């Protein structure tokens, strides 16, 4: 792996990252009424005041209803874009994505692979550089 933010955790030496380092956000469930729970976000980037979030899903990229509502409300009056990516995180195979922006989930699944999705991210970067918020 290369890049500016590679994962340096070594499971063989230190155990499963999810068990050792991932915050157990379910411990905070009793802090909120009814069925409200915290959500995690798999990836986020800010470019010139514009935000892009990625929620990674396996098996078709379907969001739970609460996650969809969360992302729709988060993007409703903001410069936040959420990409729901379907694929295999271990191999980084990407099958496609859908988008939530402006408070609406465009549930249309757009087929693409890793290189296609990287182009989406590069296009966002180019747009964000030209459109500071």
């Amino acid at each position: 792996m290369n890049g500016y933010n590679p994962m340096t955790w070594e499971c063989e030496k230190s155990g499963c990252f999810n068990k050792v380092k991932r915050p157990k956000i379910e411990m905070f469930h009793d802090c909120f009424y009814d069925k409200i729970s915290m959500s995690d976000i798999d990836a986020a980037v800010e470019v010139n005041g514009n935000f892009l979030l990625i929620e990674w899903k396996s098996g078709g990229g379907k969001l739970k209803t609460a996650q969809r509502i969360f992302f729709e409300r988060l993007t409703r009056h903001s410069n936040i874009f959420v990409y729901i990516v379907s694929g295999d995180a271990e191999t980084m195979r990407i099958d496609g994505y859908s988008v939530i922006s402006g408070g609406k989930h465009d549930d249309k699944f757009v087929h693409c692979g890793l290189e296609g999705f990287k182009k989406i991210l590069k296009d966002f970067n180019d747009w964000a550089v030209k459109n500071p918020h």
Side-chain angles (χ1 to χ4, degrees):
M1 263 314 141
N2 56 15
Y4 290 128
N5 193 16
M7 184 163 175
T8 57
W9 186 264
E10 295 182 39
C11 296
E12 297 79 23
K13 286 167 91 177
S14 305
C16 171
F17 182 87
N18 257 356
K19 291 180 181 175
V20 177
K21 289 291 188 178
R22 185 188 67 82
K24 311 309 180 269
I25 59 177
E26 59 275 9
M27 299 291 290
F28 304 122
H29 176 73
D30 59 352
C31 299
F32 304 97
Y33 297 120
D34 300 322
K35 295 181 180 180
I36 296 173
S37 295
M38 290 186 163
S39 182
D40 71 324
I41 297 170
D42 296 317
V45 66
E46 178 271 334
V47 180
N48 242 2
N50 297 289
F51 298 84
L52 183 143
L53 311 179
I54 295 175
E55 180 62 24
W56 192 283
K57 296 292 183 187
S58 58
K62 291 294 178 192
L63 288 174
K64 293 179 180 176
T65 300
Q67 279 185 309
R68 181 187 50 75
I69 291 169
F70 172 77
F71 287 133
E72 287 174 350
R73 289 178 180 172
L74 184 67
T75 65
R76 185 176 295 151
H77 302 290
S78 67
N79 53 326
I80 299 172
F81 304 86
V82 180
Y83 284 78
I84 313 305
V85 175
S86 176
D88 182 330
E90 183 176 5
T91 64
M92 288 305 291
R93 184 197 80 240
I94 293 177
D95 300 319
Y97 66 92
S98 64
V99 181
I100 301 175
S101 66
K104 295 190 182 352
H105 185 197
D106 182 356
D107 205 14
K108 179 180 74 174
F109 186 77
V110 179
H111 292 277
C112 74
L114 177 61
E115 291 306 313
F117 191 68
K118 286 174 73 172
K119 182 177 181 336
I120 297 296
L121 299 180
K122 289 175 184 178
D123 289 349
F124 169 82
N125 184 72
D126 292 346
W127 173 85
V129 166
K130 295 174 187 168
N131 295 279
H133 193 275

